[in-house]
Amino acid sequence: MLSDKTLRELADEKGVTIGAGIPARSFRQYPDDPTLAQTLKREFNAVTTGNALKMGPLRPEPKVYDFDDADAIVNFGVKNDMTVRGHTLLWHKQTPEWFLAWDYTDDQLEAFVRDHIHTVAGRYHDKVDVWDVVNEAVADDGSMRETMWYEAMGEEYLDKAFEWANDVAPNAALYYNDYEIASDNDKANAVYDLLQRLLDRGVPIDGVGIQMHSLPSYQHSREDPETVGENIRRFKELGLDVQITEMDVAYGPNEEFDDRLEHQAQYYKDVLKACLDNGCSTLITWGVHDAGTWLQNRYDVTTDPLLFDENFNPKPAYYAIRDLLENWS
């Protein structure tokens, strides 16, 4: 018989981390409604900063940082004894509108990135437990992504980013994070090889985050859970921790199921089981409830990808994960 324990209570008992990425707009959208905060702290034991610590939202003007949104999420996590994940220190997207890479020499761009990482990771050195240091450095075909950082510093920009983060946040776990790396494909193989090179060079990297935006469209796909488990084992054999960092499950217009929410529930459960069975103990959903999903008006998919519906009611996926934790040992 399923207990009446919350998802967080079961996760804490089993030594599992179940988290949610929170867009800052969710806090702004419900300033007088405590439901989001109540659900988050009751049901999850980890929180990710969503967009708030990406370079663009964080830096509205040159030499100006706006930490208000990030502080709100980080401090909420600390106050409620949650694992806090900072996302992300370096990415090729969501850079500031005023930032033009060609205004910098290679040396100046390197100094810019070093200062940025030292400032941001240093501010939260005693609050953020895990950093996604570099996000999506590998292109879909397995080549190194041609970014401004890569053009200025070569592949060693990753080495430097991790080293700079480690300088100011030596107690935080440092991760590489990417999408489409849960399957046996060219990109996953390239990321594996990249991580091996980083380790061979002595880079202070602790783990790899596997995004799992499970959508039948654009850059994302719905990986077979058995394959997910195999890939988790492969990354762990490098000596790295593995976490599922951005999971949601949506459906395209050509997908038909007798009960879509039951299919969604089974998929969440199967992926978490693959994670747990292969030494991965963290799963983070990209949002708390359907009304806050990033998929609104994107990719022509359903907008009900999370564990709670738009009114914060638990969905079959919530109960499926809770049932798995209840019976997992």
Side-chain angles (χ1 to χ4, degrees):
M1 180 178 179
L2 188 66
S3 74
D4 59 358
K5 293 179 180 178
T6 67
L7 191 58
R8 177 172 184 167
E9 288 171 336
L10 289 170
D12 286 342
E13 285 181 8
K14 303 291 180 158
V16 175
T17 300
I18 302 293
I22 300 300
R25 65 180 173 83
S26 292
F27 281 102
R28 294 195 300 269
Q29 188 175 355
Y30 304 103
D32 302 314
D33 184 353
T35 309
L36 176 67
Q38 289 176 351
T39 303
L40 183 60
K41 68 183 180 182
R42 183 185 68 242
E43 300 290 350
F44 299 90
N45 56 9
V47 62
T48 299
T49 54
N51 289 329
L53 279 171
K54 292 175 180 176
M55 190 182 290
L58 192 61
R59 304 191 62 172
E61 301 175 33
K63 299 184 180 180
V64 173
Y65 288 82
D66 181 356
F67 287 107
D68 288 350
D69 286 343
D71 282 353
I73 299 172
V74 170
N75 291 336
F76 178 89
V78 172
K79 178 181 178 181
N80 291 287
D81 196 26
M82 306 172 84
T83 297
V84 178
R85 187 184 201 95
H87 178 80
T88 171
L89 290 172
L90 199 58
W91 191 28
H92 62 285
K93 293 184 177 180
Q94 286 188 256
T95 54
E97 292 183 4
W98 52 264
F99 176 80
L100 300 174
W102 53 83
D103 286 347
Y104 300 80
T105 67
D106 290 351
D107 288 344
Q108 287 172 334
L109 192 61
E110 179 175 335
F112 173 87
V113 175
R114 180 175 63 247
D115 178 71
H116 176 81
I117 292 176
H118 279 173
T119 299
V120 177
R123 179 183 180 87
Y124 298 109
H125 70 93
D126 59 345
K127 292 184 176 181
V128 170
D129 303 291
V130 184
W131 279 105
D132 289 327
V133 177
V134 178
N135 198 49
E136 301 174 4
V138 175
D140 294 354
D141 64 1
S143 63
M144 289 299 297
R145 191 181 296 278
E146 297 287 340
T147 68
M148 62 198 82
W149 326 120
Y150 183 78
E151 291 174 2
M153 293 173 268
E155 181 178 294
E156 285 70 26
Y157 86 84
L158 287 97
D159 306 41
K160 294 172 181 179
F162 278 93
E163 289 162 0
W164 293 330
N166 192 58
D167 286 344
V168 294
N171 296 321
L174 307 180
Y175 281 67
Y176 174 79
N177 192 58
D178 215 328
Y179 65 88
E180 289 291 341
I181 61 170
S183 301
D184 182 10
N185 57 42
D186 290 343
K187 180 171 183 177
N189 294 336
V191 168
Y192 179 94
D193 292 341
L194 171 63
L195 298 175
Q196 180 69 75
R197 294 195 297 273
L198 295 179
L199 292 167
D200 289 346
R201 294 196 292 263
V203 174
I205 179 172
D206 298 297
V208 55
I210 298 176
Q211 300 178 23
M212 286 204 65
H213 296 293
S214 300
L215 327 172
S217 61
Y218 189 44
Q219 296 169 324
H220 309 283
S221 60
R222 190 169 301 124
E223 293 94 344
D224 174 68
E226 184 176 347
T227 302
V228 174
E230 293 170 355
N231 230 34
I232 288 171
R233 287 200 304 276
R234 180 166 65 138
F235 284 124
K236 285 188 69 69
E237 287 170 359
L238 288 172
L240 295 172
D241 186 37
V242 181
Q243 300 183 353
I244 294 174
T245 54
E246 303 180 27
M247 187 168 181
D248 41 26
V249 183
Y251 295 85
N254 296 322
E255 291 189 296
E256 296 182 6
F257 299 96
D258 291 338
D259 191 328
R260 187 178 73 241
L261 294 184
E262 289 296 337
H263 184 276
Q264 180 187 69
Q266 188 64 49
Y267 187 72
Y268 266 111
K269 185 174 183 177
D270 290 345
V271 169
L272 180 57
K273 186 176 188 303
C275 174
L276 297 175
D277 287 349
N278 290 284
C280 158
S281 59
T282 295
L283 187 149
I284 298 169
T285 59
W286 207 235
V288 171
H289 73 316
D290 290 339
T293 178
W294 69 294
L295 294 173
Q296 302 287 350
N297 303 315
R298 287 176 181 258
Y299 305 143
D300 191 24
V301 295
T302 59
T303 54
D304 54 356
L306 298 167
L307 304 185
F308 294 85
D309 70 16
E310 60 184 11
N311 295 313
F312 296 98
N313 298 309
K315 294 163 58 182
Y318 168 88
Y319 292 110
I321 288 180
R322 202 179 72 167
D323 177 66
L324 176 60
L325 291 179
E326 177 81 22
N327 294 288
W328 184 75
S329 60

